[in-house]
Amino acid sequence: MTNLPKAELHVHLEGTAPPELVRHIAARNGLPLPDRLLGIDGRFRYTNFLDFLRTYDLAASVIRTLEDYRDITYEYLCSCARTGALYVELTASPDHARLVGLSDEEHLDGIARGIDEARRDTGIEGRILISAVRNFGVEQALRVAGHAVDRPHPYVVGFSMAGDEAGFPAGDFAEAFALAAGAGLGCTIHAGEWAGAESVRAAMELPVTRVAHGVRSIEDPALVAELAARGIVLECCPTSNVVLGLYPSYEDHPLPQLRDAGVRVTLGSDDPPYFGATIAGEYAVCAARMGFTDAALREITRTAIDAAFCDEDLRNGLRSRL
Ligand code: ADE
Ligand code: ZN
């Protein structure tokens, strides 16, 4: 599996830092590890999706400096490169950085350094999606989108939205998406993960070409047909879905059905150490548990490169490495 070229469009940057790195960063910043962050097994602790979001916020609360963001980015990209990844889009949350007093500029500079140094050492390419968090509200989302638009950064290629999908409908954020899309940023949004097909329908009213997860579209055949007809790309994260209890097993996951129905699909690890996931592991799961052939997995990488929000020069360079 290592020599199969891979590309990842869906991974949350703070969510890539494993417990050991979070522990190291907290100590470097003179901070105790937050209570309730880790279980007695030393792994991130949570009981359900909303509790997972709280644990994620706790881990992010000790990530405080430009150097921290550089280190997390570098470590993650190098780990992906070692297992055959060519390209990763990192979902970054300026809101989490702001909460600990880091400016948007320092946040982005740290990530950009991590990308540059990982490229220098491994050849992997990375780009950034700026993400708002639904449950932080509409005003915050507008600020995040506005900043990405007003101060363009060469590595920021897209706008995304994470957080509590069921409690905060996509339509409320139409202005933030219009702002981002109007400035040429590619757009994607979490939908069809913790809410059903109606949430994906609402997402499709926004100027998005991709949907994060989107797997619950399977509950509405007409919606599946529309996704296929419009060529909307789903960023599927099977391990995240199974570990968080959306589906009881990989065999119950709708990814193969969506693909068979003509929906364009890609793979992502979402929040790797929280779910025991890696990008290579997602490819391996598709092969071992969902019947995907090598050719089908290559097609997934090709789809990811086609749907990436990077510029055309980089896209062509990545295609030549397939
Ligand atoms: N933030 C981090 N991981 C997430 C997920 N899987 N869904 C929504 N928001 C998230
Ligand atoms: Zn996600």
Side-chain angles (χ1 to χ4, degrees):
M1 196 60 64
T2 301
N3 48 17
L4 191 117
K6 304 170 187 75
E8 175 166 54
L9 301 185
H10 192 94
V11 64
H12 300 264
L13 184 58
E14 291 91 359
T16 68
E20 316 81 73
L21 184 55
V22 173
R23 202 186 282 283
H24 170 77
I25 285 173
R28 182 164 78 189
N29 292 335
L31 298 165
L33 267 193
D35 287 345
R36 293 185 57 254
L37 179 68
L38 304 179
I40 47 172
D41 58 0
R43 301 179 58 167
F44 291 119
R45 176 173 136 183
Y46 53 87
T47 52
N48 56 36
F49 175 62
L50 292 180
D51 195 40
F52 154 75
L53 291 180
R54 275 189 292 274
T55 300
Y56 185 103
D57 291 349
L58 282 180
S61 73
V62 305
I63 303 168
R64 299 225 161 158
T65 68
L66 184 156
E67 185 188 11
D68 296 343
Y69 274 98
R70 178 260 168 227
D71 289 355
I72 292 170
T73 304
Y74 179 82
E75 292 295 329
Y76 183 65
L77 290 178
C78 291
S79 75
C80 292
R82 284 193 289 275
T83 60
L86 308 177
Y87 177 75
V88 176
E89 280 180 7
L90 300 157
T91 297
S93 168
D95 284 328
H96 283 94
R98 272 214 156 194
L99 279 171
V100 296
L102 197 63
S103 71
D104 292 346
E105 287 74 16
E106 290 171 301
H107 180 225
L108 284 180
D109 273 2
I111 302 169
R113 274 191 212 176
I115 291 174
D116 287 338
E117 291 174 29
R119 180 195 308 107
R120 177 198 66 200
D121 294 348
T122 70
I124 196 168
E125 268 296 356
R127 291 292 183 269
I128 303 167
L129 308 187
I130 289 297
S131 179
V133 181
R134 282 168 130 110
N135 39 298
F136 291 177
V138 170
E139 288 307 311
Q140 294 264 86
L142 273 171
R143 185 199 78 80
V144 168
H147 185 272
V149 165
D150 292 343
R151 278 170 275 183
H153 184 288
Y155 287 173
V156 173
V157 295
F159 180 68
S160 172
M161 185 163 287
D164 178 7
E165 168 190 0
F168 298 81
D172 293 355
F173 299 92
E175 200 181 335
F177 276 88
L179 198 61
L185 294 172
C187 290
T188 179
I189 183 169
H190 284 70
E193 181 193 21
W194 294 100
E198 73 291 347
S199 173
V200 180
R201 285 195 182 281
M204 286 168 72
E205 299 291 313
L206 301 171
V208 300
T209 54
R210 305 186 341 214
V211 170
H213 299 283
V215 285
R216 288 189 56 193
S217 306
I218 201 70
E219 295 163 18
D220 178 346
L223 174 60
V224 172
E226 195 178 334
L227 285 169
R230 281 180 53 181
I232 301 278
V233 171
L234 300 188
E235 304 155 11
C236 295
C237 309
T239 298
S240 164
N241 297 157
V242 170
V243 171
L244 283 171
L246 201 54
Y247 299 104
S249 74
Y250 289 114
E251 285 73 15
D252 294 295
H253 195 280
L255 172 55
Q257 274 171 277
L258 289 162
R259 178 173 174 274
D260 290 347
V263 178
R264 301 169 76 202
V265 295
T266 64
L267 289 171
S269 58
D270 212 4
D271 304 281
Y274 290 79
F275 308 134
T278 61
I279 185 58
E282 297 304 282
Y283 277 78
V285 153
C286 285
R289 309 282 293 271
M290 297 177 174
F292 282 59
T293 61
D294 249 36
L297 296 177
R298 282 177 191 278
E299 183 62 34
I300 283 183
T301 302
R302 185 173 300 279
T303 300
I305 290 173
D306 289 348
F309 293 149
C310 64
D311 63 59
E312 293 309 310
D313 280 354
L314 176 51
R315 194 189 321 282
N316 288 330
L318 293 167
R319 281 185 181 135
S320 72
R321 294 169 67 187
L322 283 183

